[in-house]
């Protein structure tokens, strides 16, 4: 173990990150997490799916002496991870019941002679006496426990063997532990800490915001037509369709197949060979769509799933979040569509009728949250994050509610009333009770607490008669953080500082009308306005297509899933920068030296041929040679914009001012590359204001910014806003 993480080690970490994995930057907290485990400290990592947990133990495993044990619950997942590491040129193996005696011996020999860096092992193999004896003889650096929520009965995937892990590790030696999970609930976290006896461990919890995912909910009407349309519009892309029952899974898979979509079913009723074969067909891209019950997904980490559709309403937001989380793990496109109808909720409620009272209450509570999420008009991302205890201070600009808002209104007295009601009842009641109180609903609880004597009693009805209105208002105030909901404690409402300040100094707050899915029209036309539609890409689409074909061919030869060869972001970058030497290839994100040597040749040849045949002046001919960094930042911006990353974040990552980023974008646009910044502009500039500025440029003599600033001098419009809309204007009309 490195006892002191000094600068030298940090530099080395970054170098190794590039050299082995081909990434030029750590993502989120990866670096500090790795430092922590390198210091020999127990480490607890909570990150959403797709955030990059694996690297947090893989990289330290490679820079320390000895072998790292990785405990993982699923054999399928293990093989996958080992394949990916092998593709990077790393010696990683797994030990589980599928190995022959000879294979087992080879793995053990590699471990004993010190060449093996990572050993993946299932908990049931770990507990075997013979394995334990062998592990005691190996020099081990630390232990990583993946999917650590399996330890907890409160998690969605409890595995009793996981509870025995700690005892065994203790038996092997005094080893530091890194535990990783994507489950955010406090109860599960507590269980993990306790069971692994790592109460002191530093916790690294990253935001659960998956910025590249587009959330959308549509009325469940004409659903089959909508589904086929949607899948056809996403032809050739990988997607998952979740259904509640096996019967629907079979039916929908059949429906897609007869409509020329390559689709297969997956559910627990299929025999295990068929199930495995169907999963492999999906991973290897022999089929595009898998139609599944929720049984599917835990064991796969295919990074390029482009859409996840919930054909039926899921039982809880936790489940919904897990399942949608399987889209766009590589940070590129990920569309999440759910079909909603209240009938589904009633069906789900019926399933619960044989449960105990507590279980039924719990299940109903989860369903209520699902209904709220579906029907509220507030930004979906704000809702989801609020549910997981995170507060987002503005709308995301990248969900259906942001893009097509329901009717909105500014209210003030209503907000004050609700907050006062919560305050006067001493923050001890839930939303139902507060609603009863302000609508003067006659009930014994209100009376028994003498709440009918409060001045807020029945005051709501004067402002709005509808009970649903108040339920929705309260929910929206929680998401906007005027109220806090104690989920662990029967959903009791509390007032934070923001709410208290508001009562004393109120102002108009924007609230949205709920969706009424019974009345909402469904559109079965082409989805030009969905996130998947239309944005002009910076990469060479023809070349990208060829690279993907080659990737599939190589994958077939090596019997690996295509994404193990190169992931989509890497191919897109190749189709942008045209690398034609090994050195250039190694500069591509996600391509380390190991991959260049293993798979690079054929790709370099293809690109070289393509560049020659099409007489392409590659970026390096024109720009890179003279001003390396400048063109790099442009390429970076183009890629990030393609991925709909906000400009503020790009500025953050690059340590540049927002104004400088905008300037780079202007250069890019003036040189003829079309960039679609709508996702960002919609988020930071009001629609009406955009229209005003746009109209101005339409009729103005010049696109000069000083002139525009002058024109808008009375309207409090910033230079940045003007420049952003000018970019939009020029891109749409000039490019
Ligand atoms: P998780 O286990 O948290 O769901 P993974 O470890 O599978 O996530 O990583 C998700 C994706 O992110 C993978 O495709 C991986 O290659 C990529 N990734 C991880 N770290 C980085 C990084 N520092 N830079 C770029 N991509 C990364
Ligand atoms: Zn939103």
């Amino acid at each position: 173990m490195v006892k002191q993480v000094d600068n030298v080690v940090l530099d080395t970490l970054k170098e190794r990150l590039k050299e082995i994995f081909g990434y030029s930057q750590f993502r989120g907290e990866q670096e500090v997490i790795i430092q922590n485990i390198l210091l020999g400290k127990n480490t607890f990592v909570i990150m959403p799916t797709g955030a990059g947990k694996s690297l947090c133990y893989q990289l330290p495993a490679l820079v320390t002496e000895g072998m790292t044990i990785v405990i993982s619950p699923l054999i399928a997942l293990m093989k996958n991870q080992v394949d990916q590491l092998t593709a990077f040129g790393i010696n990683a193996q797994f030990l589980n019941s599928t190995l022959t005696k000879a294979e087992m011996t080879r793995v053990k020999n590699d471990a004993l002679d010190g060449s093996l860096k990572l050993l993946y092992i299932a908990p049931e193999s770990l507990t075997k006496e013979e394995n334990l004896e062998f592990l005691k003889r190996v020099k081990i650096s630390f232990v990583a426990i993946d999917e650590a929520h399996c330890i907890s009965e409160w998690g969605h995937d409890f595995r009793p063997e996981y509870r025995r892990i700690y005892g065994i590790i203790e038996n092997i030696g005094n080893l530091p532990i890194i535990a990783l999970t994507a489950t955010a609930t406090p109860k599960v976290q507590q269980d993990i800490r306790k069971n692994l006896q790592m109460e002191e461990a530093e916790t690294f919890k990253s935001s659960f915001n998956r910025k590249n995912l587009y959330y959308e909910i549509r009325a469940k009407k004409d659903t089959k037509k909508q589904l086929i349309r949607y899948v056809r519009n996403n032809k050739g892309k990988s997607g998952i369709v979740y259904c509640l029952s096996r019967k629907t899974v079979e039916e929908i898979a059949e429906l897609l197949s007869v409509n020329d979509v390559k689709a297969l079913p997956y559910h627990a009723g299929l025999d295990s060979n068929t199930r495995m074969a169907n999963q492999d067909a999906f991973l290897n891209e022999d089929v595009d769509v898998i139609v599944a019950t929720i049984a599917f997904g835990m064991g796969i980490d295919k990074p390029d799933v482009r859409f996840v559709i919930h054909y039926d309403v899921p039982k809880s937001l936790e489940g919904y979040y897990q399942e949608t989380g399987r889209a766009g793990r590589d940070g590129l496109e990920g569309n999440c569509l759910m079909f909603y109808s209240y009938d589904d909720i009633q069906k789900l409620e019926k399933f619960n009728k044989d449960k105990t009272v507590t279980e039924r209450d719990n299940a109903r509570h989860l369903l209520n949250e699902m209904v709220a999420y579906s029907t509220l008009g507030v930004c979906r991302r704000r809702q989801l994050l609020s549910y997981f205890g995170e507060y987002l201070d503005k709308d995301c600009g990248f969900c259906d509610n942001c893009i097509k808002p329901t009717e909105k209104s500014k209210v003030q007295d209503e907000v004050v009333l609700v907050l006062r009601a919560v305050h006067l009842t001493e923050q001890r009641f839930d939303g139902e009770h507060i609603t009863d109180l302000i609508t003067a609903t006659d009930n014994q609880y209100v009376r028994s607490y003498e709440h009918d004597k409060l001045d807020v009693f029945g005051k709501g009805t004067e402002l709005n008669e509808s009970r649903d209105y108040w339920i929705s208002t309260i929910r929206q105030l929680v998401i906007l953080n005027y109220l806090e909901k104690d989920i662990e404690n029967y959903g009791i409402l509390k007032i934070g500082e923001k709410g208290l300040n508001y009562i004393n100094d109120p102002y108009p707050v924007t609230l949205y009308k709920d969706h009424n899915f019974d009345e909402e029209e469904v559109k079965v036309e082409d989805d030009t306005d969905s996130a998947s539609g239309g944005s002009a890409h910076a990469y060479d689409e023809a070349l990208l297509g060829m690279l993907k074909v080659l990737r599939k061919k190589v994958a077939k030869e090596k019997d690996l899933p295509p994404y193990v060869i190169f992931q989509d972001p890497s191919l897109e970058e190749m189709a942008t920068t045209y690398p034609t030497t090994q050195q250039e290839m190694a500069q591509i994100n996600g391509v380390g030296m190991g991959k260049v040597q293993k798979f690079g040749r054929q790709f370099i040849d293809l690109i070289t041929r393509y560049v020659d045949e099409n007489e392409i002046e590659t970026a390096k001919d024109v720009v890179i040679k003279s001003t390396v960094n400048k063109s790099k930042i442009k390429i970076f911006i183009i890629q990030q914009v393609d991925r709909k990353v906000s400009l503020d974040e790009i500025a953050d990552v690059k340590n540049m001012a927002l104004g400088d980023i905008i300037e780079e974008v202007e250069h890019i646009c003036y040189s003829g590359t079309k960039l679609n910044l709508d996702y960002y502009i919609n988020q930071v500039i009001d629609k009406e204001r955009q229209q005003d500025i746009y109209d101005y440029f339409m009729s103005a003599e010049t696109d000069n910014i000083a002139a525009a600033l002058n024109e808008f001098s009375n309207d409090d419009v910033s230079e940045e806003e003007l420049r952003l809309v000018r970019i939009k204007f020029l891109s749409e009309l000039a490019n």
Side-chain angles (χ1 to χ4, degrees), residues 76-77 79-81 83-84 238-240 264 266 275-290 296-297 299-305 551-552 555-556 559-564:
L77 197 66
K79 169 155 180 353
N80 213 276
Q81 293 242 352
D83 281 348
Q84 296 195 38
S238 289
I240 306 175
L264 283 173
Y266 185 103
R275 233 171 33 222
M276 282 291 261
N278 290 3
Q279 170 168 324
D280 281 347
F282 182 61
L283 295 181
N284 296 331
E285 295 179 4
D286 294 330
V287 301
D288 294 328
V289 179
I290 198 103
F296 181 78
I300 63 151
D301 58 358
K302 185 169 164 52
D304 49 8
V305 173
R551 175 174 68 176
K552 199 161 172 189
K556 270 252 146 59
D559 195 21
L560 290 169
Y563 60 82
V564 171

Side-chain angles (χ1 to χ4, degrees), residues 489-517:
N489 198 0
Y490 312 106
I492 283 175
L493 297 171
K494 309 215 171 239
I495 304 195
E497 220 181 275
K498 186 170 170 186
L500 285 176
N501 290 340
Y502 187 90
I503 296 180
N504 295 325
D505 189 12
Y507 45 86
V509 171
T510 304
L511 297 184
Y512 292 88
K513 206 168 159 185
D514 286 0
H515 287 274
N516 181 342
F517 285 108

Side-chain angles (χ1 to χ4, degrees), residues 361-399:
D361 276 356
N362 259 335
R364 181 171 308 131
H365 172 76
L366 293 176
L367 276 180
N368 276 339
E369 295 292 336
M370 202 65 230
V371 174
Y373 172 72
S374 309
T375 50
L376 279 188
V378 183
C379 168
R380 306 271 184 215
R381 201 174 309 270
R382 284 184 97 160
Q383 293 194 57
L384 282 171
L385 290 177
S386 158
Y387 186 75
F388 293 111
E390 243 180 85
Y391 169 65
L392 200 65
D393 66 2
K394 56 181 181 215
D395 290 351
C396 76
F398 191 54
C399 70

Side-chain angles (χ1 to χ4, degrees), residues 23 25-27 30 48-55 301 303 329-330 567:
Y23 299 134
Q25 264 149 349
F26 284 105
R27 233 194 226 170
Q30 282 175 336
T49 311
K53 282 185 287 299
S54 325
L55 198 96
D301 58 358
R329 288 169 78 128
D330 56 11
Q567 295 197 5

Side-chain angles (χ1 to χ4, degrees), residues 149-206:
H149 57 269
C150 295
I151 283 176
S152 170
E153 284 173 87
W154 297 101
H156 49 85
D157 192 34
F158 174 51
R159 282 157 197 261
E161 326 81 78
Y162 252 69
R163 290 201 159 259
R164 298 178 52 202
I165 293 174
Y166 183 76
I168 296 162
I169 297 176
E170 221 184 2
N171 209 325
I172 300 174
N174 184 15
L175 297 167
I177 298 175
I178 176 169
L180 309 102
T181 177
T183 306
T185 68
K187 263 199 181 118
V188 175
Q189 290 170 31
Q190 221 173 25
D191 263 14
I192 296 174
R193 285 169 168 282
K194 250 215 193 104
N195 187 271
L196 294 177
Q197 306 205 9
M198 48 189 267
E199 262 106 346
E200 89 305 337
E202 191 155 344
T203 301
F204 299 88
K205 180 170 187 287
S206 58

